[in-house]
Amino acid sequence: MKMHFSIPVSQQRLDTLGGRYVLYSVYLEGFLFCKVRYSQLHRWNEQLRRVFGNCLPPFPPKYYLAMTTSMADERRDQLEQYLQSVPMDPNILRSEVFIRFFKSLQQDTFNITTKKVFLDIFLPDGRSIRIEILTSDTSERVLEIVSYKTGLSRELIGYFSLFLIQFHSDGTLSVIKKMAEFELPYVSLQSTEVENCKIGLRKWYMDPSLDSMLMDCHTAVNLLYGQAVQEIEKNWAKPTLEQRQELEALRKAGNQTKFLELAQQVQHYGYLQLDTCTCDYPEPGCVATVSVGSNEISCHLKLPGHQTREVDFKMSRIKSWQVTFLGTLLEEEDGPQQTLHQNLELRFQYNEGSNSWQWFTIYTKQAFLLSSCLKKMISEKLMKLAAENPEMQIEVPLEQGKNKKSSHQQSQINYFDFPMRKSKISVKSIEEDCVFETIREEDL
């Protein structure tokens, strides 16, 4: 699926000879990732084509005359779609020419040179380990170092990931974003404007039954156990009184395996819980606690009159979703670009029965993280179906961005269908169902 790349703003700059050029601010997962010129992207595209041929998406053409405002906006749209589409090919995503380009851009954007540094990685049980890395090490490389330091089997590294986590003074935490494999954790940590952030290691799968794949590795069990205890303590997972007593007895006995087996039965075990947010269901402005996992979006809603309501949206009934950036972007001629009043929303199209489709909106600063979780659940579902039927064909979802560019709004749309069980699984874009014909952009 497409990466969460977006280019919400560009700036005109003067070069050393007095000529003007455009500097594009590239965002990944809603955070400033790097700044880049068209000429840099053009050279990179040529390098990619020398290696991978014509499998790449079209690159925006050069203009030899002055661009109008509409032409500049169109180029920005095209560059954004190009960046979203290129990493869809896993061979390109893992290639040296791809990784080297973005490593250089991240370091140049934030003026961070390559050197040895110490980086603290926080584990699910609250402990941290200090590792020595290069500032130019990618998340993939840092994760390898962490696995070596902790004794995690290399075969199981793919079940974990690095996250940017915000720690609050009241002891709560917020998972801000998942680190991309080609992202530089040290650079992202130093450049983020979010306070009290740390790099944390967490499991990265949404199907709790996958715990069984890790039970033969002592380190993996320790990590799963630490995260399970943390989620129960922070009320992300919600055991009954009887389950809580049994879990406490197993914890005191040091029986981590039995603890995890029982945790599988706990409500919302293995779910990722977002910060308190709002939604438009059943009426606008409802306060919601959103948890995502086990092929569903679970919402605990606070209604007027101190009433509450639990609503679960099943992934099998979600047809498409869209992340929209709403905010005011301040452009400065010679200074850094700042984002003011940034708000995000995730809208999804849901089948309530009898082929009745309705759009629901969740307003949360973690909209991109929620989108990543939805994509992960789709990926796990398809892999599970393929494992059950090795002859089954799986088509990768076709994603199309529809956006209307302005300094205030951007959106990225994903379309998919979960078909009934057949010999061929097809997940495809259905453009005639798009109700945002005038909107372009974002990913999902």
Side-chain angles (χ1 to χ4, degrees), residues 279-333:
C279 66
D280 65 353
Y281 179 83
E283 58 185 75
C286 284
V287 177
T289 300
V290 177
S291 301
V292 57
S294 289
N295 290 314
E296 68 177 13
I297 303 173
S298 181
C299 300
H300 176 79
L301 306 173
K302 293 183 180 179
L303 307 178
H306 303 289
Q307 295 179 324
T308 61
R309 182 176 176 182
E310 302 284 344
V311 180
D312 295 331
F313 297 98
K314 303 298 182 182
M315 284 298 297
S316 58
R317 290 178 174 267
I318 295 178
K319 185 174 189 177
S320 62
W321 76 87
Q322 164 189 352
V323 172
T324 301
F325 167 83
L326 303 169
T328 302
L329 294 171
L330 177 64
E331 299 178 60
E332 299 180 5
E333 185 70 24

Side-chain angles (χ1 to χ4, degrees), residues 232-250:
I232 292 172
E233 289 177 345
K234 298 187 180 303
N235 203 34
W236 288 17
K238 300 170 175 60
T240 64
L241 178 58
E242 182 180 355
Q243 287 174 333
R244 188 178 295 275
Q245 292 172 343
E246 292 184 43
L247 289 168
E248 180 62 19
L250 291 171

Side-chain angles (χ1 to χ4, degrees), residues 400-402 415 428-437:
Q400 296 184 355
K402 296 283 181 180
Y415 300 90
K428 58 182 182 297
S429 169
I430 303 190
E431 189 165 2
E432 60 267 28
D433 291 319
C434 177
V435 298
F436 295 99
E437 284 300 327

